[in-house]
Amino acid sequence: EAGVAQSPRYKIIEKRQSVAFWCNPISGHATLYWYQQILGQGPKLLIQFQNNGVVDDSQLPKDRFSAERLKGVDSTLKIQPAKLEDSAVYLCASSPWTGGNNSPLHFGNGTRLTVT
Amino acid sequence: KNEVEQSPQNLTAQEGEFITINCSYSVGISALHWLQQHPGGGIVSLFMLSSGKKKHGRLIATINIQEKHSSLHITASHPRDSAVYICAVDGNQFYFGTGTSLTVIP
């Protein structure tokens, strides 16, 4: 099966600019996650979708971050405006069902964002 | 307090050595995942286990549900095993450890 696809692989922007990341999960996976991973740390959940609905966005900085999964398939994550501390790898992951149910988890290759 | 604690944080080994990475967690889980992350950033799932032991090639993962502890072992380590190994637990959400950075020297 095709894996989780993410683009772009790398992005360099100046602070206060906007950026968008795209994710296409594994076909049929209902659950989609966006994680932020700062260098030397484990992934931190930003938002979890179940189909096209938001399950958890409690750690998403909503003043600057937004995400959508309009048709319950692919998803975009946007940062507007970016800050220096947003420099990180943004990982998309998908799973057939929600956590707590012995769920396999598949990750994309991530987008490495550098904000200068 | 982190829900998932890994040790050691960093590990350097000579090629051929037996390696153990430990993971302890504090929440109820349905499964535990061991993940491998190479410098490019992509994460690969190595194991998903909810009891006992699993083996894949030179990799062995064990879990003790009562003690809330898991170990990842690498036998006959090789430089291509150099990566960050992350423990993640599947509770009502996924919780991740901060990773163990492994370097295997030829």
Side-chain angles (χ1 to χ4, degrees), chain A residues 9-10 33 35 37 40-43 45 48 56 59 89 91 95 98-105 107-110 112, chain B residues 9 30-33 35 37 39-45 48-50 84 86 88 90-94 96-99:
Chain A
R9 283 287 279 131
Y10 304 94
Y33 307 85
Y35 290 95
Q37 187 179 24
Q41 299 181 18
L45 178 68
Q48 177 185 342
D56 184 352
Q59 297 191 80
V89 174
L91 294 159
S95 178
T98 57
N101 294 291
N102 217 353
S103 316
L105 190 61
F107 282 88
N109 286 325
R112 183 176 296 274
Chain B
Q9 267 192 304
S30 63
L32 181 143
H33 299 251
L35 310 169
Q37 186 170 34
I43 294 179
V44 174
S45 178
M48 183 176 80
L49 65 164
S50 52
V84 174
I86 300 172
D90 184 3
N92 60 346
Q93 62 175 282
F94 285 97
F96 293 83
T98 55

Side-chain angles (χ1 to χ4, degrees), chain A residues 35-54:
Chain A
Y35 290 95
Q36 180 194 58
Q37 187 179 24
I38 293 171
L39 188 64
Q41 299 181 18
K44 170 191 150 188
L45 178 68
L46 292 174
I47 189 166
Q48 177 185 342
F49 291 96
Q50 179 73 8
N51 297 311
N52 61 348
V54 175

Side-chain angles (χ1 to χ4, degrees), chain A residues 30-97:
Chain A
T31 305
L32 185 148
Y33 307 85
W34 281 104
Y35 290 95
Q36 180 194 58
Q37 187 179 24
I38 293 171
L39 188 64
Q41 299 181 18
K44 170 191 150 188
L45 178 68
L46 292 174
I47 189 166
Q48 177 185 342
F49 291 96
Q50 179 73 8
N51 297 311
N52 61 348
V54 175
V55 174
D56 184 352
D57 64 356
S58 56
Q59 297 191 80
L60 186 74
K62 297 180 187 64
D63 57 333
R64 297 183 302 107
F65 285 64
S66 64
E68 59 183 15
R69 193 185 184 200
L70 291 175
K71 296 182 180 178
V73 181
D74 55 349
S75 175
T76 55
L77 175 70
K78 296 179 181 177
I79 308 175
Q80 181 180 10
K83 292 186 175 181
L84 295 175
E85 59 261 35
D86 299 332
S87 295
V89 174
Y90 290 84
L91 294 159
C92 179
S94 73
S95 178
W97 47 82

